[in-house]
Amino acid sequence: MEIKDDEVKKAQVVETRARNISHNVRCTECGSQSIEDSQADIAILLRKLIRDEIRAGKSDKEIYKKLEEDYGETVLYAPKFDLQTAALWLSPLLVAGAAGGMWAYNKHRQKTNVHIMALNLVRGVPLTPKEKETMLDLLTPPPPQGVTPSSLWSRWRGL
């Protein structure tokens, strides 16, 4: 009975590892599905190959390496970081940096425009309606929010 339990546990471990690996391997025929989800002949063969490799005692890393050597790097859903894939991995950082740079430039430009408007006021140059609105927005303090010390004092005094 105990031997049968061990065999069942081993079979479950093999199946779990095989499914995990299969979810991370792209079907070479379908391209958009993992071999776990695909019913293509090559996917069925790859799933069998993975199970055979696991039963042979290979680690997950060794299996991924074998698949990559046999079918190319595109068979794996998570490509490794190297010179060829650096642009792919770094593009989100480049886009975020460009967006941050544009935001900073626009903020700087807005401050510069305020200085130019102030100089024009001093020189007697009339402001356009949009410039007047911008100056009022910048110079008008926001309304107080929340509890201020004076409002607490007036509540305490009963006013």
Side-chain angles (χ1 to χ4, degrees), residues 10-28:
K10 277 186 179 181
Q12 287 176 340
V13 168
V14 168
E15 188 62 26
T16 303
R17 280 185 60 201
R19 285 181 181 265
N20 185 31
I21 293 171
S22 296
H23 279 294
N24 295 315
V25 177
R26 180 178 285 126
C27 176
T28 56

Side-chain angles (χ1 to χ4, degrees), residues 73-94:
E73 189 177 326
T74 57
V75 78
L76 301 179
Y77 272 119
K80 60 185 174 189
F81 185 82
D82 60 8
L83 286 176
Q84 292 177 342
T85 59
L88 174 70
W89 287 104
L90 297 176
S91 60
L93 294 175
L94 294 173

Side-chain angles (χ1 to χ4, degrees), residues 119-138:
L119 283 173
N120 285 342
L121 276 176
V122 171
R123 293 180 187 145
V125 178
L127 297 176
T128 65
K130 185 176 181 192
E131 289 174 335
K132 285 180 186 177
E133 184 181 333
T134 303
M135 287 296 271
L136 283 174
D137 287 344
L138 291 171

Side-chain angles (χ1 to χ4, degrees), residues 26-79:
R26 180 178 285 126
C27 176
T28 56
E29 192 173 310
C30 307
S32 63
Q33 287 182 311
S34 70
I35 62 170
E36 184 65 29
D37 300 328
S38 177
Q39 292 304 316
D41 292 338
I42 187 72
I44 294 168
L45 289 172
L46 285 173
R47 288 194 300 257
K48 184 182 179 326
L49 171 85
I50 290 169
R51 282 173 177 77
D52 291 344
E53 294 288 324
I54 291 172
R55 285 187 194 106
K58 300 265 177 97
S59 70
D60 291 3
K61 204 171 200 175
E62 291 171 325
I63 295 171
Y64 284 128
K65 188 172 182 171
K66 179 178 175 35
L67 289 170
E68 186 178 349
E69 288 171 357
D70 292 348
Y71 298 98
E73 189 177 326
T74 57
V75 78
L76 301 179
Y77 272 119

